[in-house]
Amino acid sequence: MPKRSQEFSYQVKQLRTNQTEAEKKLWKYLRAKRFAGFKFKRQQPIDNYIADFCCMRGRLIIEIDGGHHQTQRSYDERRTIYLNEQGFRVLRFWNNEVMSNIDAVLQTISLALVPSPFPGDRAHLNSYSAPSPGSLREGGRSRHTAGDPPGLWRGQERVQRLEFISMRKTTITVLREMKKDRRKIAALTCYDYSTAQLLNQAGIDILLIGDSLGMVKLGYSSTLPVTVEDIVYHTRIVSRGNRSALLVADMPFMSYQASKEESIRNAGKMLKAGAEAVKLEGGVEVAPIIRALRAIGIPVMGHIGMTPQSVNAFGGYKVQGRQKAQAAKILSDAKVVEKAGAFAIVLECVPAGLAKRITRTVKVPVIGIGAGADCDGQVLVIDDLLGLSAPPSPRFVKRYANLRDSIKRAAVDYAREVRTGKFPDEAHSYT
Ligand code: KIV
């Protein structure tokens, strides 16, 4: 260990004793190997520098900056270059980012520790490099150094070998806290193992094995034909890939409507397959079922508004709650479902104003889909978000990727190369 001056050691001690509020907040998540088993140290001397938080195994340094760092940029940059050269990656956050957006901060840290499952896919390394104040940023200039493989930052090779790493586990209690702290909940449907892993790495809070799988994966024209066995099968698969998200399995049509006994039996199958909660559609009419499931310890997520299993009764997939009486029924459903013991409510396809009112009325988190921006969280069907499902899609769907075109293009390129003898070439053959 290098011999340090008394002054330097005093400074380390002072920094450890006088934590800022932002440092205290982040430390709650990092201390005692709480963050996916990684050991972090506070105010760690590294040669002549002191890192706010340092994880040796992940070669990661986290700095939490106050406003004075705006005026010492060149010092910070020199420091980052030096630390990069020692094989550390440096992430810098502003105090206010930690205080007001801890989820995004934790997600950025998680992504910095998690290697991409796809060799060569470094998109996640570039996604938070904007050096502007108020945005999550990476310290200093380029993280690339002379001896590195092209495009890799030093130290990445070390984390590349680490197994799948998840963030903090989402539980029902965490969701309740998120609503209280006004942190938005990000939920997505998920039907398979590898997507579950990716969605964990992306920090998605809830994975729903939705009966939408009937339409996007099984080729049905509605969710009605989906069976308990379908959901159980996909729940097993997703649960093998999931570590951090809360896993919710949808109760398909006629798996809970007939009797309490049958709903208990079917919900039990889903929990045995790995679900941590079930979701069922309906308001006042399903309250006794919610109560029965809660009574035996099965957490239930409600689903009100436009409930796709009732598509025939609605006369199509239409926005619900535009008329006064309808809006009053949906609000009353929300209250009844909450009172029956649901831990959260999905609110589908209702006007944004009504969704806002419901979100403010009930204490449990309201997860919107086509219900405006004021819900406690949002859910989308993963195939819609990825641009995998065939257009047209409902107005509320935002496509964040266009995998339909990417997949088609890749398959066309492959077929052409096979037919012209370009694939496999030498590089893809054994000698
Ligand atoms: O089945 C499903 O995917 C759903 C969500 C869209 C809420 O119920």
Side-chain angles (χ1 to χ4, degrees), residues 1-2 4 8-13 15-16 41-54 56 61 79 82-83 88:
M1 186 180 297
R4 302 189 197 287
F8 186 84
S9 304
Y10 177 75
Q11 202 188 344
V12 171
K13 206 167 158 199
L15 286 169
R16 283 189 184 146
K41 287 186 176 169
R42 278 192 311 120
Q43 306 303 344
Q44 173 66 26
I46 295 169
D47 299 334
N48 293 327
Y49 295 109
I50 305 168
D52 282 350
F53 300 97
C54 175
M56 286 291 179
I61 285 170
R79 182 179 184 278
Y82 178 81
L83 293 169
F88 288 98

Side-chain angles (χ1 to χ4, degrees), residues 189 208 210-212 250 279 303 346 369 379 381:
T189 67
L208 169 69
D211 59 359
S212 52
D250 233 349
K279 172 167 87 57
H303 185 161
V346 168
I369 172 163
V379 60
V381 170

Side-chain angles (χ1 to χ4, degrees), residues 233-402:
Y233 176 77
H234 285 271
T235 300
R236 265 201 210 106
I237 294 169
V238 171
S239 74
R240 276 182 228 128
N242 179 57
R243 294 285 179 282
S244 56
L246 181 77
L247 213 64
V248 182
D250 233 349
M251 306 254 332
F253 181 58
M254 289 318 293
S255 68
Y256 58 96
Q257 289 90 341
S259 72
K260 286 184 199 165
E261 290 70 26
E262 219 175 312
S263 18
I264 289 174
R265 213 167 295 123
N266 288 327
K269 288 182 190 167
M270 290 169 195
L271 264 72
K272 279 181 185 290
E276 295 159 299
V278 296
K279 172 167 87 57
L280 51 87
E281 296 183 8
V284 62
E285 58 289 351
V286 296
I289 308 285
I290 297 177
R291 267 195 294 276
L293 293 172
R294 282 290 296 117
I296 57 156
I298 298 182
V300 181
M301 179 182 261
H303 185 161
I304 59 172
M306 204 289 290
T307 45
Q309 291 174 19
S310 308
V311 60
N312 294 318
F314 291 141
Y317 299 101
K318 295 176 183 162
V319 176
Q320 300 295 305
R322 281 202 169 124
Q323 290 85 28
K324 237 175 160 186
Q326 242 182 18
K329 156 89 168 101
I330 297 172
L331 176 59
S332 140
D333 278 344
K335 292 183 196 165
V336 171
V337 165
E338 175 182 39
K339 195 151 179 243
F343 69 88
I345 299 172
V346 168
L347 183 56
E348 180 160 356
C349 260
V350 301
L354 174 62
K356 184 173 178 177
R357 183 153 174 226
I358 291 174
T359 304
R360 290 189 175 172
T361 303
V362 297
K363 294 209 168 52
V364 295
V366 174
I367 317 288
I369 172 163
D374 291 306
C375 298
D376 301 306
Q378 298 291 326
V379 60
L380 276 182
V381 170
I382 182 84
D383 288 52
D384 291 343
L385 165 135
L386 295 177
L388 263 177
S389 32
S393 37
R395 176 193 164 106
F396 62 76
V397 166
K398 181 168 175 186
R399 288 177 183 254
Y400 288 82
N402 184 355

Side-chain angles (χ1 to χ4, degrees), residues 74-363:
S74 60
Y75 169 82
D76 284 344
E77 278 178 19
R78 274 199 312 281
R79 182 179 184 278
T80 297
I81 291 166
Y82 178 81
L83 293 169
N84 284 165
E85 282 165 3
Q86 309 316 305
F88 288 98
R89 186 159 195 214
V90 182
L91 292 181
R92 313 194 76 97
F93 302 101
W94 295 116
N95 277 334
N96 70 322
E97 288 167 340
V98 174
M99 297 310 287
S100 64
N101 203 357
I102 187 72
D103 279 341
V105 169
L106 294 175
Q107 185 178 341
T108 305
I109 296 169
S110 166
L111 289 171
L113 289 166
V114 176
S116 164
F118 305 114
D121 171 8
R122 294 182 308 283
H124 66 291
L125 298 180
N126 300 325
S127 62
Y128 43 88
S129 56
S132 61
S135 67
L136 307 179
R137 62 230 154 88
E138 180 152 4
R141 30 150 247 200
S142 163
R143 55 190 172 267
H144 306 270
T145 52
D148 288 345
L152 286 180
W153 51 278
R154 285 184 76 190
Q156 191 190 5
E157 306 92 310
R158 294 167 203 250
V159 288
Q160 198 100 52
R161 279 196 299 275
L162 295 175
E163 279 293 278
F164 168 81
I165 295 150
S166 65
M167 288 175 62
R168 176 171 80 120
K169 175 82 182 102
T170 306
T171 59
I172 290 167
T173 318
V174 168
L175 294 179
R176 214 176 293 136
E177 278 168 17
M178 288 175 83
K179 171 154 184 152
K180 208 167 79 211
D181 301 346
R182 301 201 174 173
R183 286 181 284 137
K184 294 276 187 181
I185 298 162
L188 278 174
T189 67
C190 183
Y191 318 106
D192 67 74
Y193 170 78
S194 52
T195 308
Q197 288 188 321
L198 293 174
L199 298 186
N200 274 190
Q201 290 173 16
I204 299 299
D205 303 303
I206 301 174
L207 299 188
L208 169 69
I209 298 95
D211 59 359
S212 52
L213 83 88
M215 296 173 80
V216 297
K217 295 297 180 209
L218 308 182
Y220 299 131
S221 59
S222 78
T223 59
L224 302 190
V226 175
T227 63
V228 170
E229 287 66 38
D230 292 332
I231 298 284
V232 163
Y233 176 77
H234 285 271
T235 300
R236 265 201 210 106
I237 294 169
V238 171
S239 74
R240 276 182 228 128
N242 179 57
R243 294 285 179 282
S244 56
L246 181 77
L247 213 64
V248 182
D250 233 349
M251 306 254 332
F253 181 58
M254 289 318 293
S255 68
Y256 58 96
Q257 289 90 341
S259 72
K260 286 184 199 165
E261 290 70 26
E262 219 175 312
S263 18
I264 289 174
R265 213 167 295 123
N266 288 327
K269 288 182 190 167
M270 290 169 195
L271 264 72
K272 279 181 185 290
E276 295 159 299
V278 296
K279 172 167 87 57
L280 51 87
E281 296 183 8
V284 62
E285 58 289 351
V286 296
I289 308 285
I290 297 177
R291 267 195 294 276
L293 293 172
R294 282 290 296 117
I296 57 156
I298 298 182
V300 181
M301 179 182 261
H303 185 161
I304 59 172
M306 204 289 290
T307 45
Q309 291 174 19
S310 308
V311 60
N312 294 318
F314 291 141
Y317 299 101
K318 295 176 183 162
V319 176
Q320 300 295 305
R322 281 202 169 124
Q323 290 85 28
K324 237 175 160 186
Q326 242 182 18
K329 156 89 168 101
I330 297 172
L331 176 59
S332 140
D333 278 344
K335 292 183 196 165
V336 171
V337 165
E338 175 182 39
K339 195 151 179 243
F343 69 88
I345 299 172
V346 168
L347 183 56
E348 180 160 356
C349 260
V350 301
L354 174 62
K356 184 173 178 177
R357 183 153 174 226
I358 291 174
T359 304
R360 290 189 175 172
T361 303
V362 297
K363 294 209 168 52

